[in-house]
Amino acid sequence: MAREALTNARGVKRYAIAFCVIALALSLAPFAAIAARKLHPARTAEPAHRHLPYPALEWPFQLSGSQYAPVAWADIAGWNDDDHFKAYQAFRISCTPISAQRDPPADPKGDPRPLGGSLRDPCRAARVADISNGARARAFFEEHFLPLRISRLGEDQGFVTGYYEPILDGSRTQTEIYNVPVYRRPSNLFVRGFKQDAPSLPNKGEVFRKIGRRKLVPYYDRAAIEDGAIAGRGLEICWLKSQTDLLFAQIQGSARVRLEDGSTVRINYDAHNGYPYTAVGRILIDRGIIPKEQMSMQKIREWMEQNPDGANELRRQNRAYVFFRVVPLSDKDEAVGAQGVPLTPGRSIAVDKALHVYGTPFFIEGELPIESEQSKTPFRRLMIAQDTGSAITGPARADLYFGAGVDAGRVSGRLKNNMRFVILVPKSLDPAARGRKMPLPDARPSAKIARLFPQVDPLKDQKNGAKPADASQASSAKDAPKTAEPAGNAAATPAQPATAVAQASTTPAAAAKTVPLPEARPNIAPARVVHRHHRNYRVHRGR
């Protein structure tokens, strides 16, 4: 018996020791887990990513402040009658700088213009295509582009004007006849975001000059420059006969200056003084000097020549001033546009570079006074965007280039017409194809449901002086029809019995009682989550 009792006692003792070991191991398990997380931090569980209900898709491109719609080639008036080979030649010229561009940035916001670098595909096709006539050129555009009717939002037409390259008489030195300087860009002219030695500066935005080492002030305006603010600094390229000649060269952005020795100097836009352009023709119209229907560049020039004192005052109303640079072009070469390629008379246009990409084809259709001021010559032509201008703003706005000389100036000077625009976009940007992949929104509630459950904005009611608790009553009073009773008796106030509101809602003409929206649920995390975050924070600090 004694031996059995001793054996049982030893067994109980072993069980007690085993239970103590198990209890100790369980109590040390949390600490072991913490130590494991310290030693192996990479093994911590990653939070599960939430998947969106729809895949990431490419949205149809958007042009700011515009509206566009696909159109069939057969529905474009005059499309089949145009000389597409001339437009194709101008497009091939634009493809040279397009193909030389680097790859577009990975960030889609790098180029906010909708077409971005999409013209590279048609340019690659044009490089290897064998096109020598209009039929093949038309087939090329129809194969690689899609036509979209485009206009400013809320309008059905665009607007066009014309420009040209003036041919002016000048001299390399100042004389009694030639005493108006043509200035190159001054060295103290600064534009934010651009270096002073940049090849060219934008035609919009603020421009400064430096005083001392740090102080920047707006640059001189036209009046100050004409009065000699930058004279005597060696900035003169050449000299012209009159300020009117210089003004028109600045408006056009380029000019050919025939010198006394028979040579020619070609000048192009290089910078401006930072002031917005003010149309002198608009001032003459507002003053009643020239009727709007008769306004043209020829009329402005005639009035300035006949009124030299008035021309001096009128010219200074336009505080903008343009500086030029000399370009190495011969008399046979056309002017160079903002894209850096020679312009093609009758095929090149200036567009808003903030919206459009150089090289984009536009088909412009309508009637223009080309033969005379009263004529309505049909104009249905495929044009290529290769230039820009400070006054050219909007999705359906273009300046048509007509070449150089007096005749080109006479035609372009009287253009200010509404026209219809069709933009040709590469097929890779087909908005209809992208739109088919877009998920549709949820169905709109029926009219009956909308009447039974009108939405209430408590914040709007608070701004109007109503308390949030009275939102339903205020909405019912607002929606109720007007009666001959005073306005103070029409709406239910907080002191009014609830039965009065119920009776008013039962009348046939009264609006349905509004169901107020529930209050927002407080964003309080569960205690367990808070404890877990706190615990992780302590672990993070202990590392």
Side-chain angles (χ1 to χ4, degrees):
M1 295 296 292
R3 182 179 297 180
E4 292 180 359
L6 179 60
T7 303
N8 293 337
R10 289 177 179 177
V12 172
K13 185 177 180 180
R14 283 196 297 268
Y15 283 118
I17 293 173
F19 280 118
C20 291
V21 172
I22 294 173
L24 180 62
L26 292 176
S27 63
L28 294 178
F31 298 98
I34 294 174
R37 282 197 294 268
K38 287 184 177 181
L39 295 176
H40 307 283
R43 295 182 180 180
T44 57
E46 294 289 339
H49 294 284
R50 181 181 179 184
H51 296 281
L52 297 176
Y54 303 111
L57 300 175
E58 292 182 333
W59 290 84
F61 67 89
Q62 296 180 354
L63 279 166
S64 177
S66 69
Q67 59 188 19
Y68 65 84
V71 60
W73 296 108
D75 295 335
I76 303 176
W79 171 256
N80 295 332
D81 301 329
D82 188 25
D83 188 351
H84 295 82
F85 183 67
K86 291 183 178 180
Y88 174 78
Q89 290 177 315
F91 177 74
R92 282 288 302 268
I93 295 175
S94 286
C95 283
T96 301
I98 292 175
S99 301
Q101 292 176 353
R102 297 180 179 179
D103 293 335
D107 182 8
K109 296 182 180 179
D111 189 350
R113 296 170 298 180
L115 263 63
S118 61
L119 288 174
R120 293 184 176 186
D121 293 338
C123 283
R124 293 191 189 99
R127 187 186 308 172
V128 299
D130 182 14
I131 297 176
S132 58
N133 55 55
R136 290 185 177 181
R138 186 181 69 184
F140 170 83
F141 287 111
E142 293 178 353
E143 179 181 357
H144 295 90
F145 290 92
L146 293 170
L148 303 176
R149 183 82 64 186
I150 187 172
S151 62
R152 190 185 295 271
L153 192 63
E155 302 177 0
D156 59 350
Q157 291 184 328
F159 188 76
V160 301
T161 51
Y163 73 113
Y164 73 112
E165 187 180 21
I167 300 178
L168 308 173
D169 295 328
S171 172
R172 291 190 183 274
T173 59
Q174 184 179 10
T175 65
E176 294 183 357
I177 298 177
Y178 302 103
N179 56 6
V180 176
V182 177
Y183 288 122
R184 60 173 50 90
R185 186 203 310 177
S187 60
N188 65 341
L189 187 146
F190 295 86
V191 179
R192 295 188 188 276
F194 291 84
K195 297 181 179 180
Q196 288 180 272
D197 58 350
S200 62
L201 297 179
N203 55 9
K204 296 180 182 179
E206 296 179 323
V207 177
F208 304 92
R209 60 185 176 91
K210 182 181 291 187
I211 298 179
R213 292 185 177 181
R214 297 182 179 180
K215 186 176 181 180
L216 295 177
V217 297
Y219 207 80
Y220 301 112
D221 66 353
R222 175 176 293 275
I225 295 175
E226 289 185 358
D227 291 339
I230 60 175
R233 296 174 51 185
L235 300 174
E236 296 83 2
I237 297 176
C238 58
W239 303 79
L240 303 179
K241 288 183 178 180
S242 67
Q243 292 285 358
T244 301
D245 287 345
L246 177 61
L247 174 65
F248 278 85
Q250 292 175 330
I251 293 175
Q252 303 305 317
S254 63
R256 305 184 186 193
V257 182
R258 296 179 299 194
L259 304 177
E260 292 178 308
D261 58 2
S263 61
T264 301
V265 174
R266 304 291 296 275
I267 56 176
N268 260 36
Y269 169 91
D270 191 34
H272 77 126
N273 64 340
Y275 293 90
Y277 170 74
T278 301
V280 294
R282 171 56 58 185
I283 298 175
L284 294 176
I285 294 175
D286 294 340
R287 293 178 179 178
I289 298 176
I290 300 178
K292 181 179 180 180
E293 59 274 7
Q294 299 180 10
M295 177 56 63
S296 65
M297 285 190 292
Q298 287 72 30
K299 293 290 184 180
I300 297 175
R301 180 179 285 276
E302 292 175 1
W303 186 88
M304 286 185 167
E305 293 175 353
Q306 297 171 3
N307 302 273
D309 294 337
N312 184 60
E313 184 272 335
L314 175 66
R315 189 176 58 254
R316 294 178 177 222
Q317 295 294 320
N318 174 31
R319 303 180 68 185
Y321 196 92
V322 170
F323 302 99
F324 292 94
R325 70 176 185 272
V326 178
V327 291
L329 296 175
S330 66
D331 292 342
K332 297 180 181 179
D333 296 327
E334 290 293 337
V336 176
Q339 192 185 12
V341 300
L343 301 177
T344 302
R347 293 293 170 176
S348 297
I349 58 174
V351 296
D352 188 349
K353 68 175 183 178
L355 298 176
H356 299 299
V357 176
Y358 295 137
T360 302
F362 287 83
F363 192 83
I364 301 178
E365 184 264 323
E367 296 177 343
L368 296 176
I370 295 179
E371 303 297 335
S372 65
E373 294 183 0
Q374 292 78 24
S375 65
K376 295 182 178 180
T377 306
F379 188 92
R380 300 170 177 176
R381 193 172 297 180
L382 184 60
M383 315 289 284
I384 309 299
Q386 296 174 328
D387 205 355
T388 189
S390 59
I392 312 301
T393 58
R397 175 72 173 90
D399 217 7
L400 313 183
Y401 178 70
F402 282 90
V406 178
D407 293 337
R410 186 178 298 109
V411 174
S412 61
R414 55 176 176 249
L415 297 189
K416 45 184 185 302
N417 299 79
N418 293 323
M419 304 284 280
R420 288 173 289 276
F421 280 65
V422 174
I423 181 174
L424 273 59
V425 301
K427 286 191 174 181
S428 59
L429 298 181
D430 186 357
R434 292 187 178 185
R436 296 188 190 100
K437 300 179 181 179
M438 291 296 102
L440 296 177
D442 295 336
R444 184 177 181 180
S446 63
K448 181 178 180 180
I449 297 299
R451 286 195 303 268
L452 292 177
F453 301 98
Q455 298 298 309
V456 176
D457 187 356
L459 297 178
K460 183 177 180 181
D461 294 335
Q462 290 180 9
K463 294 179 181 179
N464 296 334
K467 297 181 180 180
D470 303 328
S472 61
Q473 298 177 0
S475 178
S476 299
K478 181 180 67 175
D479 297 336
K482 302 299 180 181
T483 62
E485 297 180 4
N489 298 332
T493 62
Q496 188 178 4
T499 55
V501 180
Q503 293 175 0
S505 62
T506 55
T507 58
K513 181 179 179 180
T514 304
V515 179
L517 295 175
E519 296 183 0
R521 182 178 180 181
N523 188 14
I524 300 177
R528 184 182 58 174
V529 177
V530 174
H531 176 69
R532 184 176 68 248
H533 284 237
H534 181 62
R535 184 180 64 189
N536 291 342
Y537 173 70
R538 287 190 286 119
V539 172
H540 176 74
R541 290 187 59 187
R543 293 180 184 176

